[in-house]
Amino acid sequence: MDTFHKKFLWGGAISNVQAEGAYRTDGKGLNVYDTFEVQKEKGQKNINKVDIASNHYYQFKEDIELMNEMGFKACRFSIVWSRIYPNGTEEGPNEMGLDYYERMINNFLEKGIEPVVSLVHFDMPDHLSKKYNGFYSREVVDFFANHVGSVVKRFSSKVKYWITYNEMNTAPYWPKLVAGANVPDNFSQEEFYSTLVHNTQLAHAKAVLIIKKWIPDAKVSGMINFTHVHPKTSEPKDIEAAHIINNYMSFLTFDIMTTGRYPRYYKNFLALRNIEISDSKGFEIIQEASRKLDFLSVSYYQTQVISGPDFKNQLEFENSVIFNPHLEVSKYTKSTDWGWAIDPKGFKMALEALSERYNMSIFIVENGIGLEEKVDELGQIIDDKRIYYYKNHIKAMQDAIQYEGVQILGYLAWAPFDFLSSHKEMRKRYGFIYIDSENVTGDKLKRIPKKSFYWYKNLIETNGEIL
Ligand code: BG6
């Protein structure tokens, strides 16, 4: 039996705002990634320039050609919101932005690569963040719906696979970049958390309904970053903390999306904190969208372990776990230079947990490893660590399919080529293709396929047989 079905969508994923550069070109407005003030990660020397990034804006044809050479069946990318609505509040879309993505989509289709479009990925117009506090405000949900409507209408005959919102579950945890929001003064974490949970669900749901209205046979999904958390020890408080954090940091998003209502544990969370979300119209929309969801998308990078705090009082215990979790890398796993656990077994278990809870097909739309790399004297990048990472993770996914019957639609590696990290760093490289930001030929940045490029090409060619 072949573990990977014939139409398995092998490929890669990109966040365009981290790759394109050209940040004021063709009418584009500033967005939250452009203006986000990065707190340097450990060892980070400089903040790379978002105005150039990987120069993908001008070199996308070359990049797509290289993806084609690897045999990609699908590529996930994002349509940068602030290219379509520069301020977010305009009456109509910026046609230059739509034209640009049309050229890109046409190029994917000509190569037989299925475009998988994300509608928001760290790219909310900065104006919406500054003036309305992003998705903390309901008005921004409507502005988002305008963006979705313009994009979906324009590409209705060309794009079948849609991801409404990148890593929506992280909105309350990383609010500025993911939701364009900051905690308002005198506001409790609980209220901020529950407002963002509700408004982002509404944004997702509206997007689902718009997509299905214009493209009835579209394949639509919501997306989370699934960092599956395990108890640090077998002490009951660690086990309980793991249960709580997985619910609130990850599952809650899919629990609501797939059923159209708040799960019981979350209703109790709100009631015990005297929080009321009154929005009957919104709940109807969320409910209707839940019936139209086709699959679930996840990014997976790592697992973590948690130790439960010492609070005796249950409310304090929960609050501490949800809003101030003590997360670490397990002593049994190795980690990257950025302290992210390398845990293929954890990947298998994460897939199984999702499959068991939701019984839906899963699309892995991000998985990969960030490494610091240099071109060697022979002009090559021998990234054996990346190959090793992919081999073990893809094998783990294969085991989840084979031993647990998990339904997987496809696997999109992060990333086809190097681009800036979420912390605007080129030093943390994820690509199969090296972007030589020092080496400019004319007005282009040089691309060099790494060793992993050929390994992944071979993997796709054999539909995973080389594993
Ligand atoms: C995901 C995001 O969280 O992880 C990406 O969707 C991001 O945009 C990726 O780049 C890897 O994280 P980082 O911080 O290493 O860039």
Side-chain angles (χ1 to χ4, degrees), residues 350-360 362 404 406:
L351 292 173
E352 288 166 6
L354 291 169
S355 169
E356 210 170 289
R357 193 160 176 136
Y358 304 109
N359 195 24
M360 286 179 79
I362 300 167
E404 295 273 335
V406 177

Coordinates of all heavy atoms in Angstrom, one line a residue, residues 350-360 362 404 406:
A350 N 1.1 14.8 17.5 CA 0.2 16.0 17.3 C -0.8 15.8 16.2 O -2.0 16.1 16.3 CB 1.1 17.2 16.8
L351 N -0.4 15.1 15.1 CA -1.3 14.8 14.0 C -2.4 13.8 14.5 O -3.6 14.0 14.2 CB -0.5 14.2 12.8 CG 0.4 15.1 12.1 CD1 1.2 14.4 11.1 CD2 -0.4 16.3 11.4
E352 N -2.0 12.9 15.3 CA -3.0 11.9 15.8 C -4.0 12.6 16.8 O -5.2 12.3 16.7 CB -2.2 10.8 16.5 CG -1.5 9.9 15.5 CD -0.5 8.9 16.1 OE1 -0.4 8.9 17.3 OE2 0.2 8.3 15.3
A353 N -3.5 13.5 17.6 CA -4.4 14.2 18.5 C -5.4 15.0 17.7 O -6.6 15.0 18.1 CB -3.6 15.1 19.4
L354 N -5.0 15.7 16.7 CA -5.9 16.5 15.9 C -6.9 15.6 15.2 O -8.1 15.9 15.1 CB -5.1 17.3 14.9 CG -4.3 18.5 15.4 CD1 -3.4 19.0 14.3 CD2 -5.1 19.6 16.0
S355 N -6.4 14.5 14.6 CA -7.3 13.6 13.9 C -8.3 13.0 14.8 O -9.5 12.9 14.4 CB -6.4 12.6 13.2 OG -7.1 11.6 12.7
E356 N -7.9 12.6 16.0 CA -8.8 12.0 16.9 C -9.9 13.0 17.4 O -11.1 12.6 17.5 CB -8.0 11.6 18.1 CG -8.6 10.4 18.8 CD -7.6 9.9 19.8 OE1 -6.5 9.4 19.4 OE2 -7.8 10.1 21.0
R357 N -9.5 14.2 17.6 CA -10.4 15.2 18.1 C -11.4 15.7 17.1 O -12.6 16.0 17.4 CB -9.6 16.4 18.7 CG -10.4 17.3 19.6 CD -9.5 18.1 20.4 NE -10.1 19.1 21.2 CZ -9.9 19.4 22.5 NH1 -9.0 18.6 23.2 NH2 -10.5 20.3 23.2
Y358 N -10.9 15.8 15.8 CA -11.8 16.5 14.8 C -12.3 15.6 13.7 O -13.2 15.9 13.0 CB -11.1 17.7 14.2 CG -10.7 18.7 15.3 CD1 -9.4 18.9 15.7 CD2 -11.7 19.4 16.0 CE1 -9.0 19.7 16.7 CE2 -11.3 20.2 17.1 CZ -10.0 20.4 17.4 OH -9.7 21.3 18.4
N359 N -11.6 14.5 13.5 CA -11.9 13.5 12.4 C -12.1 14.2 11.1 O -13.1 14.0 10.4 CB -13.2 12.8 12.8 CG -13.4 11.6 12.0 OD1 -12.5 11.0 11.4 ND2 -14.7 11.2 11.9
M360 N -11.1 15.1 10.8 CA -11.1 15.8 9.5 C -9.8 15.6 8.8 O -8.8 15.3 9.5 CB -11.4 17.3 9.7 CG -12.8 17.6 10.1 SD -13.1 19.4 10.3 CE -13.2 20.0 8.7
I362 N -6.3 16.7 7.3 CA -5.3 17.8 7.8 C -4.4 18.1 6.6 O -3.9 17.2 6.0 CB -4.6 17.2 9.0 CG1 -5.5 16.9 10.1 CG2 -3.5 18.3 9.5 CD1 -4.9 16.1 11.3
E404 N -2.2 5.1 12.2 CA -3.4 5.6 12.9 C -4.5 6.1 11.9 O -5.5 6.5 12.3 CB -3.0 6.8 13.8 CG -2.1 6.5 14.9 CD -2.8 6.1 16.2 OE1 -4.0 6.5 16.4 OE2 -2.2 5.4 17.0
V406 N -4.5 8.6 10.0 CA -4.7 10.1 9.9 C -4.8 10.5 8.4 O -4.0 10.0 7.6 CB -3.5 10.8 10.5 CG1 -3.7 12.3 10.4 CG2 -3.4 10.5 12.0

